[in-house]
Amino acid sequence: MELRNNEQRAKNAILLVYIVLALEIISLVSSYLQYDLLQTVANGGYLSESEAEANDSREQIIGIIYLVAYVISCITFIMWFRRAYYNLHQRISTLSYSEGWAAGCWFVPIVNLYLPYQIMKELYVETKELLSQKGLAEKVGYTTAYLEWWWILWIIDGVLEYVVFRFSPKIDELDLDGWLFITGISIVSGITGIILALITIKVIKDYSNVEPVLFEIEENEIQTEE
């Protein structure tokens, strides 16, 4: 079967991660402003009702926009990831998982804690090995060293987001200490999310820069057969 072009999917995925990155920065600033307001109250300062409402409205709007962008970003990333694994399947028949698992593994509890990383690492390692066998090793401009950090940050960010999510239904019941805690978690999550977004962009870019070489191999094989 022929390889399928994955360039546009890579561009879409990178664009959406950049949008999420921008929203992470905005959200981080907003969380810091909220934390500053809460510290003012904790130190005996005055917080007007209009200030509180403005803060709540800002946080809600940013939260909704971020959620929408994040979901779309996940979709575009998985679409790119699945096609990249599909294309590698056309060159290597001994990969550990089916192409469908490259998408499905993200949605299966427990499995999604390790399998996406394993598939991503296999994608990198097997592609590098294939190009080395074809004498094209010089065209491989990436390393797997940062993949572990990418996945560790993904897990950490997921845990932090889960903590915030668990508190969200009870937000009106929180006392001042509770608000300070959850806002602090949001700040840490924002910092983690920014670093994660930057590494994710690198992960996509590095592999998508190598993908065209797979097409070169396919074209060379066709010409040889002819």
Side-chain angles (χ1 to χ4, degrees):
M1 296 180 68
E2 295 183 356
L3 301 183
R4 297 176 181 174
N5 191 287
N6 204 21
E7 182 179 1
Q8 188 58 52
R9 292 193 178 197
K11 290 180 178 179
N12 293 341
I14 291 171
L15 174 61
L16 263 297
V17 177
Y18 269 121
I19 291 174
V20 170
L21 173 60
L23 290 171
E24 288 280 13
I25 295 172
I26 293 172
S27 180
L28 177 60
V29 172
S30 180
S31 294
Y32 175 79
L33 293 174
Q34 176 168 282
Y35 193 85
D36 189 54
L37 286 177
L38 294 171
Q39 285 285 15
T40 298
V41 175
N43 294 327
Y46 174 73
L47 179 64
S48 68
E49 184 176 343
S50 60
E51 287 178 312
E53 290 179 352
N55 176 79
D56 291 346
S57 297
R58 183 190 68 243
E59 283 282 286
Q60 289 175 4
I61 292 172
I62 293 174
I64 292 171
I65 296 174
Y66 175 84
L67 178 61
V68 172
Y70 185 81
V71 170
I72 297 174
S73 177
C74 288
I75 293 171
T76 56
F77 176 86
I78 292 173
M79 289 175 65
W80 165 79
F81 186 51
R82 176 172 182 167
R83 177 157 293 182
Y85 201 57
Y86 165 87
N87 282 339
L88 189 58
H89 259 287
Q90 309 318 307
R91 306 259 58 86
I92 301 175
S93 60
T94 57
L95 295 180
S96 302
Y97 307 95
S98 68
E99 170 231 342
W101 267 113
C105 65
W106 296 89
F107 304 100
V108 181
I110 308 301
V111 170
N112 59 13
L113 294 177
Y114 63 89
L115 191 52
Y117 167 74
Q118 290 183 353
I119 293 177
M120 180 66 81
K121 189 170 183 179
E122 184 176 44
L123 192 67
Y124 267 60
V125 171
E126 292 297 334
T127 299
K128 189 173 184 177
E129 178 64 25
L130 173 64
L131 298 188
S132 296
Q133 292 174 1
K134 298 294 183 178
L136 300 170
E138 74 282 354
K139 295 191 176 185
V140 182
Y142 62 69
T143 174
T144 60
Y146 55 83
L147 288 183
E148 290 184 4
W149 283 108
W150 166 69
W151 194 246
I152 289 170
L153 286 170
W154 172 265
I155 297 296
I156 292 174
D157 190 61
V159 171
L160 294 173
E161 292 285 354
Y162 177 75
V163 171
V164 174
F165 174 77
R166 288 284 293 178
F167 272 89
S168 295
K170 303 176 182 179
I171 202 74
D172 293 331
E173 303 173 12
L174 295 179
D175 56 14
L176 183 57
D177 288 338
W179 273 96
L180 284 168
F181 171 76
I182 201 65
T183 304
I185 292 294
S186 295
I187 291 174
V188 176
S189 176
I191 295 172
T192 304
I194 289 170
I195 300 172
L196 174 60
L198 291 172
I199 295 180
T200 301
I201 291 169
K202 180 172 178 56
V203 168
I204 302 171
K205 279 186 175 181
D206 282 1
Y207 190 80
S208 62
N209 287 337
V210 175
E211 280 188 284
V213 185
L214 296 179
F215 283 86
E216 290 183 24
I217 294 174
E218 183 179 52
E219 291 175 1
N220 292 335
E221 291 177 350
I222 293 174
Q223 291 175 0
T224 300
E225 291 175 359
E226 292 176 348

